[in-house]
Amino acid sequence: MNIPQHAQAFLAPAKLNLDLRITGRRAGGYHELESIFCLISLYDTVYLALRDDGRIVLHTPVEGATQEQDLAYRAAAALKKHTQSVGGVDIWLEKKIPMGGGLGGGSSDAATVLLALNRLWQCGLSEQELIDLGVTLGADVPFFIFGRSAFAHGVGEKLIEIDVPKQWYVIVKPDVHVATGKIFSHPHLTRDSKPSIIPAFQALQPFRNDMQAVVFQEYPEVWEAYLVMSKHGKALMTGSGACVFVPCRHQQEAENIYRQVSKIYEAYCVEGLAVHPLFHVLSEPVGESSSG
């Protein structure tokens, strides 16, 4: 990947759903969700270089897709249209977050583009304005703009900051791509979980994922990964899968588990993050470095 020296680098962290419940379904097909979101220290890197011709160019499209289908490109285009900016940008994505795993890589890339370009193009949108724009791109995008551990409800756009204990996580990615649309439309999907009275970390124990049973039914590879991870702790699937994780109180414990499961699966040993690397980007003067 040939990235010019003047391009700026911005980190886009992955997320875990520590708890995920489906409380209803809207007339338009969207599902009402409740979830605890946590950022983790697994990152894509978004490189941005401003252009003076007003064009948006994505140099690293996913194979088989056009740049217009990519969330990072769509985020830049949406911000440009919404603010009537004359700015242009070159975009490169260095992907480390596995795709189709429920870790939110594409949504995180989009949020990082919005946060960074809002400053670089001097658009001046507030956090809430960026969240409102982000929800038009995808249900997970608002959380990454919010930038700290959150209890989410609605379709994911209503966010309340929540205290999550400092933890480490071991994540495995079975060799399968879960089709999110297939899971959401599945006739056996739980859609009537009782809404939470107190959105707090302890109050929601024991954690669960309402999508998990259907994914296990449709994708036995995820079920097998869950069985392996359950030998090491309280395993749970994140999002609509396919990744399965185990939380750990200490780094040493996480590293010990990682050494064992990484012999079987693509695996990650990561730390929970209190805030997004670009959390303070809205208040920084233009020209300050926010790179990772």
Side-chain angles (χ1 to χ4, degrees):
M1 191 162 52
N2 188 19
I3 301 169
Q5 289 188 346
H6 67 278
Q8 294 189 56
F10 300 89
L11 293 177
K15 60 84 177 169
L16 290 173
N17 298 91
L18 303 184
D19 184 79
L20 178 57
R21 308 177 190 209
I22 304 175
T23 58
R25 192 176 192 177
R26 296 182 179 180
Y30 282 98
H31 286 73
E32 294 277 352
L33 307 174
E34 289 187 350
S35 186
I36 294 178
F37 281 105
C38 174
L39 295 164
I40 56 173
S41 60
L42 173 62
Y43 308 96
D44 288 346
T45 305
V46 178
Y47 295 90
L48 302 175
L50 298 184
R51 299 174 63 101
D52 57 12
D53 61 0
R55 293 178 61 214
I56 299 168
V57 181
L58 175 66
H59 294 270
T60 53
V62 176
E63 186 177 347
T66 66
Q67 69 169 4
E68 289 77 14
Q69 294 172 310
D70 191 280
L71 272 177
Y73 176 92
R74 288 170 55 200
L79 182 65
K80 182 177 175 70
K81 181 179 180 180
H82 181 76
T83 62
Q84 297 184 323
S85 172
V86 297
V89 67
D90 288 303
I91 305 171
W92 296 262
L93 302 177
E94 186 178 10
K95 299 291 293 181
K96 295 292 178 64
I97 303 170
M99 298 174 66
L103 299 177
S107 294
S108 187
D109 296 344
T112 289
V113 167
L114 288 176
L115 287 165
L117 286 182
N118 184 50
R119 182 173 62 86
L120 295 176
W121 284 348
Q122 302 182 49
C123 297
L125 297 188
S126 67
E127 177 187 278
Q128 188 56 53
E129 288 173 316
L130 287 172
I131 285 174
D132 292 343
L133 187 59
V135 78
T136 67
L137 298 167
D140 288 344
V141 178
F143 162 68
F144 289 106
I145 295 169
F146 188 73
R148 56 265 197 211
S149 299
F151 174 81
H153 58 116
V155 296
E157 84 287 7
K158 299 173 183 176
L159 299 155
I160 302 168
E161 188 169 359
I162 190 172
D163 288 328
V164 172
K166 188 169 180 60
Q167 298 184 120
W168 284 75
Y169 304 91
V170 181
I171 306 165
V172 298
K173 168 69 166 66
D175 189 19
V176 64
H177 186 107
V178 174
T180 302
K182 178 179 179 180
I183 302 307
F184 271 118
S185 62
H186 200 284
H188 297 156
L189 182 67
T190 298
R191 297 182 174 91
D192 57 356
S193 284
K194 188 176 180 180
S196 304
I197 298 172
I198 305 173
F201 187 84
Q202 293 300 332
L204 290 169
Q205 304 277 356
F207 291 153
R208 67 175 192 262
N209 183 335
D210 283 346
M211 297 188 186
Q212 197 167 259
V214 167
V215 174
F216 290 170
Q217 178 183 330
E218 296 293 328
Y219 299 92
E221 298 94 337
V222 183
W223 167 242
E224 291 165 9
Y226 173 81
L227 292 178
V228 169
M229 294 298 281
S230 293
K231 297 175 183 176
H232 302 283
K234 173 58 178 171
L236 200 69
M237 189 183 78
T238 182
S240 59
C243 286
V244 177
F245 68 94
V246 167
C248 304
R249 289 189 177 184
H250 305 292
Q251 181 178 359
Q252 184 71 50
E253 176 191 1
E255 290 176 347
N256 288 340
I257 296 171
Y258 171 79
R259 277 193 289 271
Q260 297 176 66
V261 299
S262 61
K263 298 174 184 176
I264 310 169
Y265 290 108
E266 177 183 341
Y268 304 87
C269 181
V270 298
E271 187 178 10
L273 302 176
V275 296
H276 193 289
L278 301 185
F279 181 67
H280 301 293
V281 75
L282 291 171
S283 59
E284 285 184 359
V286 174
E288 295 281 335
S289 174
S290 300
S291 64

Short mmCIF file of all heavy atoms in Angstrom, two decimals, residues 177-237:
data_model
loop_
_atom_site.label_atom_id
_atom_site.label_comp_id
_atom_site.label_asym_id
_atom_site.label_seq_id
_atom_site.Cartn_x
_atom_site.Cartn_y
_atom_site.Cartn_z
N HIS A 177 -18.22 -16.52 7.39
CA HIS A 177 -18.76 -15.15 7.34
C HIS A 177 -20.26 -15.23 7.60
O HIS A 177 -21.00 -15.83 6.81
CB HIS A 177 -18.48 -14.53 5.96
CG HIS A 177 -18.87 -13.09 5.87
ND1 HIS A 177 -17.95 -12.07 5.84
CD2 HIS A 177 -20.09 -12.48 5.83
CE1 HIS A 177 -18.58 -10.91 5.76
NE2 HIS A 177 -19.88 -11.14 5.75
N VAL A 178 -20.71 -14.63 8.69
CA VAL A 178 -22.13 -14.64 9.04
C VAL A 178 -22.85 -13.51 8.30
O VAL A 178 -22.42 -12.35 8.36
CB VAL A 178 -22.32 -14.49 10.57
CG1 VAL A 178 -23.80 -14.35 10.91
CG2 VAL A 178 -21.73 -15.68 11.30
N ALA A 179 -23.93 -13.85 7.62
CA ALA A 179 -24.74 -12.85 6.91
C ALA A 179 -25.72 -12.23 7.89
O ALA A 179 -26.69 -12.86 8.32
CB ALA A 179 -25.48 -13.50 5.75
N THR A 180 -25.47 -10.98 8.27
CA THR A 180 -26.29 -10.31 9.29
C THR A 180 -27.76 -10.28 8.89
O THR A 180 -28.65 -10.53 9.73
CB THR A 180 -25.78 -8.88 9.52
OG1 THR A 180 -24.40 -8.95 9.93
CG2 THR A 180 -26.58 -8.18 10.60
N GLY A 181 -28.04 -9.97 7.63
CA GLY A 181 -29.43 -9.92 7.17
C GLY A 181 -30.16 -11.23 7.35
O GLY A 181 -31.35 -11.27 7.69
N LYS A 182 -29.45 -12.31 7.11
CA LYS A 182 -30.04 -13.65 7.28
C LYS A 182 -30.44 -13.89 8.73
O LYS A 182 -31.50 -14.48 9.00
CB LYS A 182 -29.02 -14.71 6.83
CG LYS A 182 -29.47 -16.15 6.98
CD LYS A 182 -28.40 -17.10 6.49
CE LYS A 182 -28.81 -18.56 6.65
NZ LYS A 182 -27.77 -19.49 6.16
N ILE A 183 -29.62 -13.42 9.67
CA ILE A 183 -29.92 -13.62 11.09
C ILE A 183 -31.10 -12.76 11.52
O ILE A 183 -32.02 -13.22 12.21
CB ILE A 183 -28.68 -13.32 11.94
CG1 ILE A 183 -27.51 -14.20 11.50
CG2 ILE A 183 -28.97 -13.51 13.42
CD1 ILE A 183 -27.81 -15.69 11.47
N PHE A 184 -31.10 -11.50 11.12
CA PHE A 184 -32.18 -10.59 11.51
C PHE A 184 -33.54 -11.03 10.95
O PHE A 184 -34.58 -10.76 11.55
CB PHE A 184 -31.88 -9.16 11.07
CG PHE A 184 -31.11 -8.36 12.09
CD1 PHE A 184 -29.85 -7.87 11.80
CD2 PHE A 184 -31.65 -8.10 13.34
CE1 PHE A 184 -29.14 -7.13 12.74
CE2 PHE A 184 -30.95 -7.36 14.29
CZ PHE A 184 -29.69 -6.88 13.98
N SER A 185 -33.53 -11.70 9.81
CA SER A 185 -34.80 -12.12 9.19
C SER A 185 -35.20 -13.54 9.58
O SER A 185 -36.25 -14.03 9.15
CB SER A 185 -34.69 -12.01 7.67
OG SER A 185 -33.68 -12.88 7.17
N HIS A 186 -34.39 -14.20 10.40
CA HIS A 186 -34.64 -15.60 10.74
C HIS A 186 -35.92 -15.74 11.56
O HIS A 186 -36.16 -14.99 12.51
CB HIS A 186 -33.45 -16.16 11.53
CG HIS A 186 -33.38 -17.65 11.52
ND1 HIS A 186 -34.21 -18.45 12.28
CD2 HIS A 186 -32.57 -18.51 10.83
CE1 HIS A 186 -33.91 -19.72 12.07
NE2 HIS A 186 -32.92 -19.78 11.19
N PRO A 187 -36.79 -16.70 11.22
CA PRO A 187 -38.07 -16.85 11.95
C PRO A 187 -37.90 -17.23 13.42
O PRO A 187 -38.80 -16.97 14.23
CB PRO A 187 -38.78 -17.96 11.17
CG PRO A 187 -37.71 -18.69 10.43
CD PRO A 187 -36.68 -17.67 10.12
N HIS A 188 -36.78 -17.82 13.79
CA HIS A 188 -36.58 -18.26 15.17
C HIS A 188 -35.84 -17.25 16.03
O HIS A 188 -35.56 -17.52 17.20
CB HIS A 188 -35.83 -19.59 15.19
CG HIS A 188 -36.57 -20.71 14.55
ND1 HIS A 188 -35.95 -21.83 14.02
CD2 HIS A 188 -37.92 -20.89 14.32
CE1 HIS A 188 -36.86 -22.64 13.51
NE2 HIS A 188 -38.05 -22.08 13.68
N LEU A 189 -35.52 -16.08 15.47
CA LEU A 189 -34.79 -15.07 16.22
C LEU A 189 -35.64 -14.52 17.37
O LEU A 189 -36.81 -14.18 17.19
CB LEU A 189 -34.38 -13.92 15.29
CG LEU A 189 -33.56 -12.79 15.93
CD1 LEU A 189 -32.18 -13.29 16.35
CD2 LEU A 189 -33.43 -11.61 14.96
N THR A 190 -35.04 -14.44 18.56
CA THR A 190 -35.71 -13.84 19.71
C THR A 190 -35.89 -12.34 19.46
O THR A 190 -34.92 -11.63 19.20
CB THR A 190 -34.90 -14.05 20.99
OG1 THR A 190 -34.79 -15.45 21.24
CG2 THR A 190 -35.54 -13.37 22.18
N ARG A 191 -37.14 -11.87 19.55
CA ARG A 191 -37.42 -10.45 19.29
C ARG A 191 -38.25 -9.81 20.41
O ARG A 191 -38.78 -8.71 20.23
CB ARG A 191 -38.18 -10.30 17.96
CG ARG A 191 -37.39 -10.76 16.73
CD ARG A 191 -38.18 -10.52 15.46
NE ARG A 191 -37.39 -10.83 14.28
CZ ARG A 191 -37.34 -12.01 13.68
NH1 ARG A 191 -38.05 -13.03 14.18
NH2 ARG A 191 -36.60 -12.21 12.61
N ASP A 192 -38.37 -10.50 21.53
CA ASP A 192 -39.28 -10.00 22.57
C ASP A 192 -38.63 -9.99 23.95
O ASP A 192 -39.30 -10.19 24.97
CB ASP A 192 -40.55 -10.84 22.61
CG ASP A 192 -40.28 -12.33 22.85
OD1 ASP A 192 -39.10 -12.71 22.91
OD2 ASP A 192 -41.26 -13.09 22.97
N SER A 193 -37.31 -9.74 24.01
CA SER A 193 -36.67 -9.62 25.30
C SER A 193 -37.23 -8.41 26.05
O SER A 193 -37.55 -7.37 25.44
CB SER A 193 -35.15 -9.46 25.15
OG SER A 193 -34.56 -10.70 24.83
N LYS A 194 -37.33 -8.54 27.35
CA LYS A 194 -37.88 -7.47 28.18
C LYS A 194 -36.89 -6.32 28.27
O LYS A 194 -35.71 -6.53 28.58
CB LYS A 194 -38.19 -8.01 29.58
CG LYS A 194 -38.94 -7.05 30.46
CD LYS A 194 -39.29 -7.71 31.79
CE LYS A 194 -40.04 -6.75 32.70
NZ LYS A 194 -40.37 -7.39 34.00
N PRO A 195 -37.33 -5.08 28.00
CA PRO A 195 -36.41 -3.94 28.10
C PRO A 195 -35.86 -3.79 29.51
O PRO A 195 -36.51 -4.14 30.49
CB PRO A 195 -37.30 -2.74 27.72
CG PRO A 195 -38.41 -3.33 26.91
CD PRO A 195 -38.66 -4.69 27.49
N SER A 196 -34.65 -3.28 29.61
CA SER A 196 -33.98 -3.13 30.89
C SER A 196 -34.57 -1.97 31.69
O SER A 196 -34.92 -0.92 31.12
CB SER A 196 -32.48 -2.88 30.69
OG SER A 196 -31.92 -3.93 29.93
N ILE A 197 -34.66 -2.16 32.99
CA ILE A 197 -35.12 -1.09 33.88
C ILE A 197 -33.93 -0.21 34.27
O ILE A 197 -34.01 1.01 34.26
CB ILE A 197 -35.78 -1.69 35.14
CG1 ILE A 197 -37.01 -2.51 34.74
CG2 ILE A 197 -36.18 -0.58 36.11
CD1 ILE A 197 -37.62 -3.29 35.89
N ILE A 198 -32.81 -0.85 34.60
CA ILE A 198 -31.60 -0.12 35.00
C ILE A 198 -30.47 -0.49 34.03
O ILE A 198 -29.97 -1.61 34.06
CB ILE A 198 -31.18 -0.48 36.43
CG1 ILE A 198 -32.33 -0.24 37.41
CG2 ILE A 198 -29.95 0.34 36.85
CD1 ILE A 198 -32.05 -0.73 38.82
N PRO A 199 -30.09 0.43 33.13
CA PRO A 199 -29.02 0.12 32.18
C PRO A 199 -27.65 0.25 32.83
O PRO A 199 -26.92 1.22 32.63
CB PRO A 199 -29.22 1.17 31.08
CG PRO A 199 -29.83 2.34 31.80
CD PRO A 199 -30.67 1.76 32.90
N ALA A 200 -27.29 -0.73 33.65
CA ALA A 200 -26.00 -0.72 34.34
C ALA A 200 -25.31 -2.06 34.15
O ALA A 200 -25.96 -3.10 33.97
CB ALA A 200 -26.20 -0.43 35.82
N PHE A 201 -23.98 -2.05 34.22
CA PHE A 201 -23.18 -3.24 33.94
C PHE A 201 -23.59 -4.41 34.83
O PHE A 201 -23.84 -5.52 34.35
CB PHE A 201 -21.69 -2.92 34.15
CG PHE A 201 -20.75 -4.01 33.74
CD1 PHE A 201 -20.35 -4.14 32.42
CD2 PHE A 201 -20.26 -4.92 34.67
CE1 PHE A 201 -19.47 -5.15 32.04
CE2 PHE A 201 -19.38 -5.92 34.30
CZ PHE A 201 -19.00 -6.03 32.98
N GLN A 202 -23.69 -4.20 36.13
CA GLN A 202 -24.03 -5.28 37.04
C GLN A 202 -25.50 -5.67 36.94
O GLN A 202 -25.86 -6.85 37.04
CB GLN A 202 -23.68 -4.90 38.48
CG GLN A 202 -22.19 -4.76 38.74
CD GLN A 202 -21.43 -6.05 38.47
OE1 GLN A 202 -21.96 -7.15 38.58
NE2 GLN A 202 -20.15 -5.91 38.10
N ALA A 203 -26.38 -4.68 36.72
CA ALA A 203 -27.82 -4.94 36.70
C ALA A 203 -28.22 -5.85 35.54
O ALA A 203 -29.25 -6.54 35.60
CB ALA A 203 -28.60 -3.62 36.63
N LEU A 204 -27.42 -5.86 34.47
CA LEU A 204 -27.77 -6.64 33.28
C LEU A 204 -27.17 -8.06 33.29
O LEU A 204 -27.39 -8.82 32.37
CB LEU A 204 -27.30 -5.90 32.02
CG LEU A 204 -28.09 -4.63 31.69
CD1 LEU A 204 -27.39 -3.82 30.61
CD2 LEU A 204 -29.51 -4.97 31.26
N GLN A 205 -26.45 -8.41 34.34
CA GLN A 205 -25.91 -9.76 34.45
C GLN A 205 -27.04 -10.76 34.68
O GLN A 205 -28.03 -10.43 35.34
CB GLN A 205 -24.92 -9.83 35.62
CG GLN A 205 -23.78 -8.83 35.56
CD GLN A 205 -22.61 -9.28 34.68
OE1 GLN A 205 -22.62 -10.39 34.16
NE2 GLN A 205 -21.63 -8.43 34.53
N PRO A 206 -26.95 -12.00 34.19
CA PRO A 206 -25.88 -12.49 33.32
C PRO A 206 -26.07 -12.00 31.89
O PRO A 206 -27.20 -11.92 31.39
CB PRO A 206 -26.05 -14.01 33.41
CG PRO A 206 -27.51 -14.22 33.66
CD PRO A 206 -27.95 -13.05 34.51
N PHE A 207 -24.97 -11.67 31.24
CA PHE A 207 -25.04 -11.18 29.87
C PHE A 207 -25.45 -12.29 28.91
O PHE A 207 -25.21 -13.47 29.15
CB PHE A 207 -23.68 -10.62 29.44
CG PHE A 207 -23.30 -9.35 30.16
CD1 PHE A 207 -21.95 -9.02 30.33
CD2 PHE A 207 -24.26 -8.48 30.65
CE1 PHE A 207 -21.58 -7.86 30.98
CE2 PHE A 207 -23.90 -7.30 31.30
CZ PHE A 207 -22.55 -7.00 31.47
N ARG A 208 -26.04 -11.86 27.80
CA ARG A 208 -26.43 -12.82 26.76
C ARG A 208 -26.42 -12.11 25.40
O ARG A 208 -26.25 -10.89 25.32
CB ARG A 208 -27.81 -13.40 27.06
CG ARG A 208 -28.98 -12.43 26.96
CD ARG A 208 -30.29 -13.19 27.15
NE ARG A 208 -31.45 -12.40 26.81
CZ ARG A 208 -32.20 -11.75 27.69
NH1 ARG A 208 -31.88 -11.76 28.99
NH2 ARG A 208 -33.27 -11.07 27.30
N ASN A 209 -26.63 -12.89 24.37
CA ASN A 209 -26.74 -12.36 23.00
C ASN A 209 -27.92 -13.06 22.35
O ASN A 209 -27.88 -14.27 22.10
CB ASN A 209 -25.44 -12.62 22.22
CG ASN A 209 -25.48 -12.02 20.82
OD1 ASN A 209 -26.54 -11.81 20.23
ND2 ASN A 209 -24.31 -11.73 20.27
N ASP A 210 -28.99 -12.31 22.08
CA ASP A 210 -30.21 -12.90 21.54
C ASP A 210 -30.04 -13.47 20.13
O ASP A 210 -30.90 -14.21 19.65
CB ASP A 210 -31.34 -11.86 21.54
CG ASP A 210 -31.96 -11.66 22.92
OD1 ASP A 210 -31.69 -12.49 23.80
OD2 ASP A 210 -32.69 -10.66 23.11
N MET A 211 -28.95 -13.12 19.45
CA MET A 211 -28.72 -13.64 18.10
C MET A 211 -27.97 -14.97 18.13
O MET A 211 -27.93 -15.69 17.13
CB MET A 211 -27.92 -12.64 17.27
CG MET A 211 -28.63 -11.33 17.03
SD MET A 211 -27.70 -10.33 15.84
CE MET A 211 -28.65 -8.82 15.89
N GLN A 212 -27.38 -15.28 19.27
CA GLN A 212 -26.44 -16.38 19.36
C GLN A 212 -27.05 -17.73 18.97
O GLN A 212 -26.46 -18.48 18.19
CB GLN A 212 -25.91 -16.43 20.80
CG GLN A 212 -24.67 -17.23 20.99
CD GLN A 212 -24.04 -16.99 22.36
OE1 GLN A 212 -23.09 -16.25 22.47
NE2 GLN A 212 -24.57 -17.63 23.38
N ALA A 213 -28.23 -18.04 19.49
CA ALA A 213 -28.83 -19.36 19.25
C ALA A 213 -29.09 -19.60 17.76
O ALA A 213 -28.84 -20.70 17.24
CB ALA A 213 -30.13 -19.50 20.04
N VAL A 214 -29.58 -18.57 17.07
CA VAL A 214 -29.87 -18.70 15.64
C VAL A 214 -28.57 -18.84 14.84
O VAL A 214 -28.49 -19.64 13.90
CB VAL A 214 -30.70 -17.49 15.15
CG1 VAL A 214 -30.74 -17.45 13.62
CG2 VAL A 214 -32.11 -17.55 15.71
N VAL A 215 -27.54 -18.08 15.21
CA VAL A 215 -26.25 -18.20 14.52
C VAL A 215 -25.66 -19.59 14.72
O VAL A 215 -25.16 -20.21 13.78
CB VAL A 215 -25.26 -17.11 15.00
CG1 VAL A 215 -23.88 -17.33 14.39
CG2 VAL A 215 -25.77 -15.73 14.62
N PHE A 216 -25.75 -20.12 15.96
CA PHE A 216 -25.25 -21.47 16.21
C PHE A 216 -25.98 -22.49 15.34
O PHE A 216 -25.39 -23.45 14.85
CB PHE A 216 -25.46 -21.84 17.68
CG PHE A 216 -24.57 -21.09 18.65
CD1 PHE A 216 -24.80 -21.18 20.01
CD2 PHE A 216 -23.51 -20.32 18.20
CE1 PHE A 216 -24.00 -20.50 20.91
CE2 PHE A 216 -22.70 -19.63 19.08
CZ PHE A 216 -22.94 -19.73 20.45
N GLN A 217 -27.28 -22.27 15.16
CA GLN A 217 -28.11 -23.19 14.36
C GLN A 217 -27.70 -23.16 12.89
O GLN A 217 -27.62 -24.20 12.23
CB GLN A 217 -29.58 -22.79 14.50
CG GLN A 217 -30.56 -23.61 13.69
CD GLN A 217 -31.99 -23.08 13.85
OE1 GLN A 217 -32.36 -22.54 14.87
NE2 GLN A 217 -32.79 -23.25 12.80
N GLU A 218 -27.42 -21.96 12.38
CA GLU A 218 -27.13 -21.79 10.96
C GLU A 218 -25.65 -21.96 10.61
O GLU A 218 -25.31 -22.29 9.49
CB GLU A 218 -27.61 -20.41 10.49
CG GLU A 218 -29.12 -20.21 10.57
CD GLU A 218 -29.87 -21.10 9.60
OE1 GLU A 218 -29.32 -21.38 8.51
OE2 GLU A 218 -31.02 -21.51 9.92
N TYR A 219 -24.79 -21.71 11.59
CA TYR A 219 -23.34 -21.74 11.34
C TYR A 219 -22.67 -22.60 12.41
O TYR A 219 -22.22 -22.09 13.45
CB TYR A 219 -22.76 -20.33 11.35
CG TYR A 219 -23.34 -19.42 10.29
CD1 TYR A 219 -24.44 -18.61 10.58
CD2 TYR A 219 -22.79 -19.36 9.01
CE1 TYR A 219 -24.98 -17.76 9.62
CE2 TYR A 219 -23.31 -18.51 8.05
CZ TYR A 219 -24.41 -17.72 8.35
OH TYR A 219 -24.94 -16.89 7.41
N PRO A 220 -22.58 -23.91 12.19
CA PRO A 220 -21.99 -24.80 13.20
C PRO A 220 -20.54 -24.46 13.55
O PRO A 220 -20.07 -24.79 14.64
CB PRO A 220 -22.10 -26.19 12.55
CG PRO A 220 -22.35 -25.94 11.10
CD PRO A 220 -23.07 -24.65 11.01
N GLU A 221 -19.84 -23.77 12.65
CA GLU A 221 -18.46 -23.37 12.94
C GLU A 221 -18.41 -22.41 14.14
O GLU A 221 -17.47 -22.44 14.93
CB GLU A 221 -17.83 -22.67 11.72
CG GLU A 221 -17.73 -23.55 10.47
CD GLU A 221 -18.92 -23.38 9.54
OE1 GLU A 221 -20.00 -22.94 10.02
OE2 GLU A 221 -18.77 -23.66 8.34
N VAL A 222 -19.44 -21.55 14.25
CA VAL A 222 -19.48 -20.61 15.37
C VAL A 222 -19.80 -21.36 16.67
O VAL A 222 -19.24 -21.08 17.73
CB VAL A 222 -20.51 -19.49 15.11
CG1 VAL A 222 -20.50 -18.47 16.25
CG2 VAL A 222 -20.22 -18.79 13.78
N TRP A 223 -20.70 -22.33 16.58
CA TRP A 223 -21.03 -23.17 17.73
C TRP A 223 -19.79 -23.91 18.23
O TRP A 223 -19.53 -23.97 19.44
CB TRP A 223 -22.13 -24.14 17.34
CG TRP A 223 -22.40 -25.27 18.30
CD1 TRP A 223 -22.28 -26.60 18.05
CD2 TRP A 223 -22.85 -25.17 19.66
NE1 TRP A 223 -22.61 -27.34 19.14
CE2 TRP A 223 -22.97 -26.49 20.15
CE3 TRP A 223 -23.15 -24.11 20.50
CZ2 TRP A 223 -23.38 -26.77 21.46
CZ3 TRP A 223 -23.56 -24.38 21.80
CH2 TRP A 223 -23.67 -25.69 22.26
N GLU A 224 -18.99 -24.43 17.31
CA GLU A 224 -17.78 -25.14 17.69
C GLU A 224 -16.78 -24.21 18.38
O GLU A 224 -16.15 -24.57 19.37
CB GLU A 224 -17.15 -25.79 16.45
CG GLU A 224 -17.97 -26.94 15.89
CD GLU A 224 -17.53 -27.34 14.49
OE1 GLU A 224 -16.50 -26.83 14.02
OE2 GLU A 224 -18.24 -28.16 13.86
N ALA A 225 -16.66 -22.99 17.86
CA ALA A 225 -15.78 -22.00 18.49
C ALA A 225 -16.26 -21.64 19.89
O ALA A 225 -15.46 -21.47 20.82
CB ALA A 225 -15.69 -20.75 17.62
N TYR A 226 -17.57 -21.53 20.04
CA TYR A 226 -18.16 -21.24 21.34
C TYR A 226 -17.83 -22.34 22.35
O TYR A 226 -17.48 -22.07 23.51
CB TYR A 226 -19.67 -21.07 21.19
CG TYR A 226 -20.42 -20.93 22.50
CD1 TYR A 226 -20.49 -19.71 23.16
CD2 TYR A 226 -21.08 -22.02 23.06
CE1 TYR A 226 -21.18 -19.58 24.35
CE2 TYR A 226 -21.77 -21.90 24.25
CZ TYR A 226 -21.82 -20.68 24.89
OH TYR A 226 -22.50 -20.56 26.08
N LEU A 227 -17.92 -23.59 21.92
CA LEU A 227 -17.61 -24.71 22.81
C LEU A 227 -16.15 -24.67 23.25
O LEU A 227 -15.83 -24.93 24.42
CB LEU A 227 -17.91 -26.04 22.11
CG LEU A 227 -19.39 -26.35 21.85
CD1 LEU A 227 -19.52 -27.68 21.10
CD2 LEU A 227 -20.19 -26.39 23.14
N VAL A 228 -15.25 -24.36 22.30
CA VAL A 228 -13.83 -24.26 22.63
C VAL A 228 -13.59 -23.14 23.64
O VAL A 228 -12.90 -23.31 24.66
CB VAL A 228 -12.99 -24.03 21.36
CG1 VAL A 228 -11.54 -23.66 21.72
CG2 VAL A 228 -13.02 -25.26 20.47
N MET A 229 -14.19 -21.97 23.40
CA MET A 229 -13.97 -20.82 24.28
C MET A 229 -14.62 -21.00 25.64
O MET A 229 -14.13 -20.47 26.65
CB MET A 229 -14.48 -19.55 23.59
CG MET A 229 -13.72 -19.17 22.35
SD MET A 229 -11.97 -18.78 22.68
CE MET A 229 -12.13 -17.12 23.34
N SER A 230 -15.70 -21.76 25.69
CA SER A 230 -16.40 -21.99 26.96
C SER A 230 -15.56 -22.79 27.95
O SER A 230 -15.82 -22.77 29.16
CB SER A 230 -17.73 -22.71 26.72
OG SER A 230 -18.63 -21.87 26.03
N LYS A 231 -14.55 -23.47 27.46
CA LYS A 231 -13.64 -24.19 28.35
C LYS A 231 -12.76 -23.23 29.15
O LYS A 231 -12.14 -23.61 30.15
CB LYS A 231 -12.75 -25.13 27.54
CG LYS A 231 -13.50 -26.24 26.81
CD LYS A 231 -12.55 -27.05 25.94
CE LYS A 231 -13.29 -28.11 25.14
NZ LYS A 231 -12.39 -28.85 24.21
N HIS A 232 -12.69 -21.96 28.70
CA HIS A 232 -11.78 -20.99 29.30
C HIS A 232 -12.48 -19.87 30.05
O HIS A 232 -11.82 -19.00 30.61
CB HIS A 232 -10.89 -20.39 28.21
CG HIS A 232 -10.08 -21.40 27.46
ND1 HIS A 232 -8.95 -21.99 27.98
CD2 HIS A 232 -10.26 -21.95 26.23
CE1 HIS A 232 -8.46 -22.85 27.10
NE2 HIS A 232 -9.23 -22.84 26.03
N GLY A 233 -13.82 -19.86 30.05
CA GLY A 233 -14.52 -18.79 30.74
C GLY A 233 -15.93 -18.64 30.20
O GLY A 233 -16.45 -19.51 29.50
N LYS A 234 -16.55 -17.50 30.53
CA LYS A 234 -17.92 -17.21 30.10
C LYS A 234 -17.88 -16.70 28.65
O LYS A 234 -17.69 -15.51 28.39
CB LYS A 234 -18.55 -16.17 31.03
CG LYS A 234 -19.91 -15.65 30.60
CD LYS A 234 -20.95 -16.75 30.43
CE LYS A 234 -22.30 -16.14 30.04
NZ LYS A 234 -23.29 -17.16 29.66
N ALA A 235 -18.03 -17.60 27.70
CA ALA A 235 -17.93 -17.25 26.29
C ALA A 235 -19.22 -16.60 25.80
O ALA A 235 -20.32 -16.92 26.28
CB ALA A 235 -17.63 -18.48 25.45
N LEU A 236 -19.09 -15.70 24.85
CA LEU A 236 -20.25 -15.03 24.25
C LEU A 236 -19.89 -14.61 22.83
O LEU A 236 -18.74 -14.27 22.54
CB LEU A 236 -20.63 -13.79 25.07
CG LEU A 236 -22.05 -13.24 24.89
CD1 LEU A 236 -23.08 -14.22 25.49
CD2 LEU A 236 -22.19 -11.88 25.56
N MET A 237 -20.86 -14.65 21.96
CA MET A 237 -20.69 -14.15 20.60
C MET A 237 -20.89 -12.64 20.61
O MET A 237 -21.72 -12.13 21.37
CB MET A 237 -21.71 -14.83 19.67
CG MET A 237 -21.51 -14.55 18.19
SD MET A 237 -22.82 -15.34 17.21
CE MET A 237 -24.18 -14.18 17.49
#
